[in-house]
Amino acid sequence: MGGKMLTTACNCLYAGSMRCLTRSLTSKFKTPRSATVAPGRLLISRKYCGFGVHSVRVRGYPLHHSIPLTRLDQCHTGVRVSQVASKARAASGLAASTSQAEPLQRKVSHILVKPDQEHVLDEVEERLAGGEDFRLLAGELSECRGSRMQGGDIGWIQRGQTTAMFEQAAFEADIGELVRAETQFGLHLIRVQAERQQAGIRQMSVSELAEILQDPERLSKVQLVDVREEVEERVANVPEFQLKPLSRMRDWGRTVTRELDPFKHTIVMCHHGMRSQQAAEYLQSLGFAQLSNLEGGIHAYSLKVDLTVPMY
């Protein structure tokens, strides 16, 4: 038998990530007792997980083993099918299967809404199914000030740059797929656009940046670029950085090789480290030889280095 399928048998719906709450089932049954989805493509919605302990059955030759999931510590948004499958293999005495390496980078867009606005994402998916443009909907409805002006576009991300739940959803989805995630910022509808190998850009920690800022000699050897929007820079900033908004990259890109030294170490910052990665790759294409992306962006800098920098 080929690839394994996973069937849940319980009093709630374990929904496929393409629709999170599988409309074909929920339109007929409020709490379907089972749903079958492809392995590695499973999310759990909190809305349907209030019944305590559930039993998950992993089917497929030669597996047929039930795994209990406890609501308090395992039954929550983002439980991975791979984790369930590995438990089933261990319980049945089978070796873990060899899988392909994870893609190093993925290009994603998202629409962010408040935690209690799941109905807004339902509306977005319906409008997308009706042929509306994701970018226009992001500009209209997203709560993310940084990416909203880019039609929800975050750019290329890699593991370790985003929150755990956002990362998991983005890297487990298929290319072209829509997937939901819940983070401390709210509910996200994520569109995965493409994948590629990691660019040769170094990830710099905020603690290393702090050391550079405190050392005049080291500071003189770098150039610092903030690619957030002006409205964000007015809320929170690190004075040593010069502002070059990503939304105006085509404008400043014409003169940046004259305004900055392509052979000098260039450190790029944004809110969380995603737009800055995109800008760093653009600078790399223009011939900048030594580039660092500030991992976690100004959010991590405020959280771990300088509490006087406002968080937003």
Side-chain angles (χ1 to χ4, degrees):
M1 185 177 293
K4 301 175 179 61
M5 297 299 290
L6 185 145
T7 298
T8 64
C10 58
N11 289 327
C12 77
L13 170 65
Y14 284 53
S17 64
M18 183 63 184
R19 282 287 175 177
C20 192
L21 302 179
T22 307
R23 294 182 185 280
S24 60
L25 292 174
T26 56
S27 62
K28 298 179 181 179
F29 310 104
K30 291 185 178 179
T31 55
R33 297 187 61 82
S34 66
T36 302
V37 296
R41 297 289 170 262
L42 192 70
L43 290 182
I44 295 172
S45 171
R46 295 180 191 274
K47 185 175 181 182
Y48 286 87
C49 292
F51 298 94
V53 178
H54 307 296
S55 175
V56 175
R57 183 172 298 126
V58 180
R59 287 181 178 171
Y61 180 80
L63 293 179
H64 190 170
H65 196 88
S66 295
I67 310 296
L69 291 182
T70 304
R71 177 176 58 85
L72 292 180
D73 60 1
Q74 289 180 287
C75 187
H76 56 80
T77 301
V79 170
R80 296 175 62 176
V81 176
S82 58
Q83 295 171 341
V84 176
S86 65
K87 291 181 182 180
R89 292 188 188 98
S92 58
L94 297 175
S97 62
T98 302
S99 60
Q100 295 181 345
E102 293 279 2
L104 292 178
Q105 288 189 328
R106 286 200 159 187
K107 183 173 174 58
V108 298
S109 302
H110 79 141
I111 294 173
L112 173 67
V113 299
K114 296 176 181 178
D116 61 349
Q117 292 185 326
E118 188 173 1
H119 65 281
V120 176
L121 296 188
D122 293 337
E123 176 191 342
V124 168
E125 291 192 2
E126 290 175 0
R127 292 172 68 177
L128 288 171
E132 294 194 44
D133 186 87
F134 187 97
R135 292 176 59 86
L136 295 179
L137 290 173
E140 175 187 344
L141 299 170
S142 182
E143 298 283 341
C144 179
R145 289 184 290 179
S147 67
R148 181 174 59 204
M149 299 179 67
Q150 308 300 318
D153 186 30
I154 293 176
W156 293 94
I157 66 172
Q158 59 195 42
R159 291 190 178 276
Q161 285 186 319
T162 69
T163 61
M165 300 309 297
F166 189 101
E167 175 186 287
Q168 181 175 310
F171 279 87
E172 290 187 355
D174 291 328
I175 304 304
E177 189 173 6
L178 293 173
V179 62
R180 296 189 188 190
E182 183 176 355
T183 71
Q184 66 267 39
F185 303 105
L187 299 175
H188 307 257
L189 181 65
I190 305 166
R191 180 179 65 166
V192 181
Q193 299 168 262
E195 68 181 31
R196 69 181 184 187
Q197 294 297 310
Q198 180 179 358
I201 295 169
R202 180 171 173 266
Q203 300 301 307
M204 176 178 286
S205 68
V206 292
S207 59
E208 183 179 352
L209 173 63
E211 293 174 0
I212 292 173
L213 295 178
Q214 293 169 7
D215 186 336
E217 182 178 354
R218 293 181 66 185
L219 184 59
S220 67
K221 296 178 181 179
V222 300
Q223 48 199 2
L224 308 175
V225 180
D226 182 352
V227 297
R228 296 174 302 144
E229 301 304 313
E230 292 177 354
V231 63
E232 296 177 272
E233 198 264 350
R234 287 196 292 269
V235 173
N237 68 84
V238 179
E240 291 82 359
F241 280 78
Q242 55 179 298
L243 187 66
K244 291 188 178 296
L246 188 67
S247 62
R248 301 211 302 269
M249 188 167 64
R250 290 184 180 178
D251 297 330
W252 56 256
R254 299 188 185 99
T255 59
V256 70
T257 54
R258 297 192 297 272
E259 296 171 352
L260 299 177
D261 184 352
F263 299 100
K264 195 173 185 178
H265 184 189
T266 305
I267 303 170
V268 191
M269 176 183 75
C270 69
H271 192 193
H272 289 106
M274 293 172 281
R275 283 174 286 165
S276 51
Q277 178 74 22
Q278 184 178 353
E281 290 165 7
Y282 174 68
L283 291 172
Q284 186 180 55
S285 72
L286 296 179
F288 281 72
Q290 188 178 1
L291 288 156
S292 292
N293 178 46
L294 186 63
E295 192 171 15
I298 196 170
H299 178 84
Y301 183 82
S302 174
L303 190 65
K304 299 177 181 179
V305 175
D306 188 351
L307 297 178
T308 66
V309 177
M311 297 178 64
Y312 65 98

